[in-house]
Amino acid sequence: ISSALKSVQENVAQMRATSQAYYVTDSWKVKSNLTVDVGLRYEYTPPWNFHNDQEANWAIPYIAYTPAAAVGKPHPTLCRVPASSFYANDLAIFNPAIQTGVGCRGSRLIQADYRNFAPRLGIAYSPTPKWTIRAGAGVFYAQDIGQAYYDISRNMAGRISPAANSSGIPNVTWSNPYLLNGNNPCGVAPPYACVSTPGPLGAQYDRRTPYIEQWTFSVQRALTPSTVFELDYLGSEGHHLQRFHGLNNPIPGTGATTPRTPWPEIAGIQYVDGDGDSSYESVVGKLTKRISKGFSLLSAITFAKAIDDAPEIRAEGADNAEQNDACINPCERGRSQFNQKY
């Protein structure tokens, strides 16, 4: 017996969004050797809009990362963008046990975030002609990647995983490629296909835009007219970083998994959530030597450490960056995949 992940029909996303960004800044020369820069940036990147009406997001009333916590809680609803009916121009018909709705997540399926204000501050001070001290801090937003939200366009296409008999006489034929012919709980016949236990793709509705707080402090010392030594410190923290969560997993046990699944009418949910955090700190030593005729020599060494509990939405090679159900974020916290000691 073998299985393959298939879709009943092609999904066409046709995603669109118009972003806006505004920035104001002012530089104040407090003294001849002290300058202060202040700025404020505002960004608005709305959720993706869809040119057609074939997209849907799962409304999950209760987010339970631990399977047992979801038992007895309200079941998820598959919410399609506003359309004349839930199955308008659609060949995938879902099992009646699955809750469906039209417009219950709006036309964009994700809530807009209007709070993306990013202040900036910079200070430069030269106590003597040979010394310069600089400091700065700011907030920087990392706008959503399209891939995570493209996935929700695949929900209405009807993802199924039929089991095929690979021994003896194959049961997969040109006339029955999805193993859907015959009786089905939807009571439909080809070209319509009944989708039972679909593989949901969900995205957090009330998501916040991921952002990074950065700060730096540096000291420069002129050793000679042509040689400068610089020591820098750079730190940052990331918040609301996005990652996959595996929801609706069976409670650990023996025997069939369906009785142990919180919401047995659907399979495991691949859910994009924004609860990740990160931190980075580094110290850099740099020596610059101007030689002649525009030629200079730069030597530098960096000591750094990067830590996070959400490395990326899609890990390298496969979707194996999902969170540990038994421990939530603390067990996932560790050195980043890109961490370099030197």
Side-chain angles (χ1 to χ4, degrees):
I1 301 298
S2 62
S3 63
L5 190 62
K6 304 178 180 180
S7 62
V8 173
Q9 64 185 30
E10 184 181 10
N11 62 296
V12 181
Q14 297 181 311
M15 301 164 62
R16 290 163 169 75
T18 301
S19 302
Q20 303 177 49
Y22 305 91
Y23 183 74
V24 294
T25 184
D26 191 19
S27 182
W28 179 30
K29 197 172 185 63
V30 182
K31 296 181 179 180
S32 60
N33 61 346
L34 175 62
T35 302
V36 177
D37 289 302
V38 179
L40 178 64
R41 180 182 175 89
Y42 176 75
E43 300 180 11
Y44 175 60
T45 299
W48 295 98
N49 198 3
F50 306 98
H51 188 60
N52 57 14
D53 61 356
Q54 297 292 315
E55 289 72 32
N57 191 12
W58 286 87
I60 307 174
Y62 185 82
I63 304 298
Y65 299 130
T66 303
V71 175
K73 300 298 181 180
H75 287 224
T77 298
L78 182 57
C79 294
R80 180 174 178 166
V81 296
S84 58
S85 68
F86 185 82
Y87 290 113
N89 303 317
D90 200 67
L91 298 177
I93 309 300
F94 292 91
N95 190 317
I98 298 173
Q99 300 180 20
T100 60
V102 176
C104 45
R105 277 291 185 253
S107 62
R108 296 179 181 263
L109 303 176
I110 303 292
Q111 183 173 273
D113 185 1
Y114 298 100
R115 295 164 286 187
N116 299 342
F117 290 94
R120 313 285 169 83
L121 174 65
I123 300 173
Y125 175 57
S126 296
T128 70
K130 292 186 176 182
W131 287 91
T132 299
I133 301 173
R134 293 183 175 89
V139 176
F140 303 84
Y141 284 90
Q143 299 295 344
D144 300 326
I145 65 171
Q147 176 63 49
Y149 296 105
Y150 166 79
D151 281 344
I152 62 178
S153 72
R154 300 160 61 190
N155 284 314
M156 292 300 295
R159 294 205 311 166
I160 57 176
S161 182
N165 183 6
S166 58
S167 62
I169 301 176
N171 58 346
V172 175
T173 63
W174 287 111
S175 59
N176 189 20
Y178 293 96
L179 304 181
L180 297 174
N181 291 0
N183 295 330
N184 59 74
C186 307
V188 297
Y192 298 97
C194 183
V195 179
S196 293
T197 322
L201 293 153
Q204 182 182 11
Y205 174 72
D206 56 346
R207 66 96 172 93
R208 290 290 308 273
T209 305
Y211 67 91
I212 306 294
E213 298 171 331
Q214 290 186 344
W215 55 90
T216 183
F217 180 83
S218 68
V219 177
Q220 287 182 330
R221 163 69 176 178
L223 303 179
T224 69
S226 61
T227 306
V228 176
F229 175 74
E230 182 176 341
L231 186 65
D232 302 321
Y233 165 74
L234 173 65
S236 71
E237 286 189 358
H239 303 285
H240 299 292
L241 306 180
Q242 295 175 311
R243 64 170 303 149
F244 277 144
H245 284 287
L247 307 181
N248 199 38
N249 295 321
I251 299 172
T254 59
T257 59
T258 299
R260 294 184 280 111
T261 302
W263 303 313
E265 73 275 14
I266 57 178
I269 302 173
Q270 183 175 288
Y271 182 68
V272 178
D273 199 351
D275 66 344
D277 294 294
S278 69
S279 66
Y280 174 83
E281 291 186 289
S282 68
V283 176
V284 181
K286 183 166 60 176
L287 184 67
T288 304
K289 171 69 174 179
R290 294 192 304 272
I291 300 178
S292 64
K293 297 181 180 179
F295 181 72
S296 63
L297 179 65
L298 173 64
S299 300
I301 185 171
T302 301
F303 296 88
K305 190 174 185 179
I307 299 175
D308 64 56
D309 54 27
E312 52 197 355
I313 292 182
R314 291 190 182 277
E316 297 178 4
D319 294 344
N320 59 355
E322 293 185 357
Q323 188 169 354
N324 186 337
D325 291 337
C327 190
I328 317 296
N329 283 16
C331 288
E332 302 294 332
R333 185 170 176 82
R335 292 189 177 184
S336 304
Q337 294 179 356
F338 56 84
N339 178 74
Q340 297 292 332
K341 294 180 62 176
Y342 302 104

